[in-house]
Amino acid sequence: MTSTPVDTETADERGGAGFEEPETREEGKAREDRRTRVTVLVALGANLLIAVAKTVGGLLAGSPALLSEAAHSVADSLNEVFLLAALRRSRRPADRRHPFGYGKERFFWSLLAAVGIFVMGGCFSFYQAFHALTVTSEESYDGYVAGIAVLVVALLAEGASLLRALHQVRRQGGVAEGMRDPALRTVVAEDGTAVLGVTLAIGGMALHMVTGQVIWEASASFAIGALLVYVAYRLGRDAREQLIGVAADDEHSRRIRALLEAQPEIDTVEALLTMRLGLDSTLVAARVDLVPGLDSEEVEEVAVRIKASIAHVVPEADQIFLDVTEKTGPGERAGESPAATGERGGA
């Protein structure tokens, strides 16, 4: 399919002084991928440094909450590696073995990231909470001040990474559009959870020091674990739906149906099926009945024109299949026309 420019107006029509070559969809996708890659790399660098600091501080202080946060940061670091793999592999071109491309790679690696959050983050946090409550040892707060200082630095680093991710979400069209990218959505979820988790750990450690009751720190570990399990469930559920096959947005489906029904050559739209194949790739399959009296050449021209119109209205629709039949009378169909085609896009 030939990429449709996002803007065909001249600078004079927009009131500008000169003309700028419009950016194609492929160039726009590459630019957004570069931004997402930078966001993931920022999060990876922050998490690696924080994971080391939390682990050292947790071992020295013997703090279950700090060790829970260390496991959380290790899980996040591994997940960022998964997301980098998703960004690289999902842009591979379609081939004979994968004719619809590799767009669903993003959803697969996002599912692995969700599993990593659940196993390495959530389960280890629960273990630390149970361990703190069941193992009796002499109370010692050596290293707790340093541990809290580590968490404060981690809070600042995680907050900066979260702001970077939210800034990219805003640049990509806000929550509705920016959060469609599973890689970016995972980074936002991880960083947001990390900020809340670090806050819980600081509170648990501080209350433990003040009251001398380990229950506060164990409760913080339980809360961190529950938070991570919930986030892992939400991310995993979204990735599962995309891997199984989910329809296009309701607004896109509505636009496509309205376009088909508005064509004078189409008598009825018998069926319209859509499925997201990737972040910006959608399959559209429609079965339509044409009005009687069209010859095969006219039917072929109508099919090509309709595909081009769909690709223009919904640029993500790069796999368009039309099952075109001609209605010969009330309740009768003449069977498939020679123009029942499945070429890609509107080309």
Side-chain angles (χ1 to χ4, degrees):
M1 180 187 71
T2 303
S3 297
T4 304
V6 297
D7 186 7
T8 57
E9 292 181 328
T10 64
D12 291 337
E13 291 172 324
R14 292 190 298 263
F19 177 79
E20 291 185 3
E21 186 71 21
E23 183 180 63
T24 64
R25 285 189 63 241
E26 291 300 324
E27 291 171 342
K29 290 187 291 185
R31 174 171 48 81
E32 290 182 0
D33 269 6
R34 287 193 295 269
R35 289 176 179 169
T36 302
R37 187 176 294 107
V38 171
T39 299
V40 174
L41 286 171
V42 168
L44 175 60
N47 279 316
L48 285 174
L49 293 175
I50 293 168
V52 173
K54 287 178 180 177
T55 301
V56 173
L59 292 174
L60 292 176
S63 167
L66 189 50
L67 288 174
S68 295
E69 272 302 300
H72 181 185
S73 294
V74 171
D76 285 353
S77 299
L78 180 61
N79 292 340
E80 260 95 53
V81 175
F82 289 158
L83 298 180
L84 289 173
L87 291 171
R88 181 178 62 85
R89 296 176 64 86
S90 64
R91 289 303 184 193
R92 289 183 295 172
D95 53 35
R96 184 175 181 181
R97 186 172 177 82
H98 299 89
F100 292 112
Y102 292 81
K104 289 193 175 185
E105 286 267 14
R106 292 205 184 203
F107 309 131
F108 169 74
W109 291 99
S110 295
L111 180 62
L112 290 187
V115 173
I117 293 174
F118 176 83
V119 175
M120 297 184 63
C123 293
F124 187 78
S125 295
F126 287 139
Y127 166 77
Q128 284 297 319
F130 281 114
H131 181 76
L133 292 175
T134 55
V135 175
T136 58
S137 61
E138 183 180 349
E139 290 288 344
S140 174
Y141 303 114
D142 295 339
Y144 261 52
V145 174
I148 292 178
V150 168
L151 288 176
V152 171
V153 173
L155 182 61
L156 295 175
E158 297 284 11
S161 179
L162 177 60
L163 289 176
R164 158 77 196 190
L166 291 176
H167 175 68
Q168 184 178 342
V169 169
R170 184 180 62 82
R171 292 188 64 175
Q172 291 186 195
V175 176
E177 290 297 322
M179 295 296 277
R180 290 175 61 245
D181 186 344
L184 186 55
R185 183 170 63 242
T186 301
V187 172
V188 171
E190 286 180 349
D191 288 345
T193 304
V195 169
L196 185 54
V198 169
T199 303
L200 290 171
I202 292 174
M205 292 179 68
L207 289 172
H208 185 186
M209 291 179 64
V210 172
T211 65
Q213 300 294 320
V214 73
I215 185 64
W216 293 107
E217 204 167 346
S219 297
S221 292
F222 271 123
I224 293 169
L227 180 64
L228 292 175
V229 168
Y230 173 73
V231 170
Y233 164 74
R234 291 296 300 270
L235 292 174
R237 185 188 65 178
D238 291 343
R240 171 182 172 274
E241 287 184 355
Q242 300 290 355
L243 286 172
I244 292 174
V246 66
D249 298 340
D250 291 340
E251 177 63 19
H252 288 170
S253 296
R254 185 193 65 77
R255 289 181 184 179
I256 295 172
R257 180 173 288 276
L259 184 149
L260 292 174
E261 292 176 345
Q263 303 301 313
E265 298 87 356
I266 293 181
D267 183 77
T268 57
V269 179
E270 296 292 333
L272 175 62
L273 304 175
T274 63
M275 183 174 68
R276 290 186 61 191
L277 300 175
L279 179 60
D280 42 35
S281 176
T282 300
L283 181 147
V284 177
R287 186 168 67 248
V288 298
D289 283 340
L290 301 182
V291 297
L294 300 176
D295 59 34
S296 59
E297 184 175 343
E298 290 174 321
V299 172
E300 184 69 31
E301 291 176 355
V302 168
V304 172
R305 190 190 74 232
I306 291 174
K307 290 179 184 180
S309 299
I310 292 175
H312 178 73
V313 171
V314 181
E316 292 83 1
D318 59 348
Q319 301 282 353
I320 304 173
F321 297 83
L322 293 180
D323 180 5
V324 179
T325 59
E326 182 180 0
K327 185 169 273 189
T328 58
E332 297 181 5
R333 293 174 64 182
E336 291 191 352
S337 158
T341 59
E343 291 90 347
R344 294 187 60 174

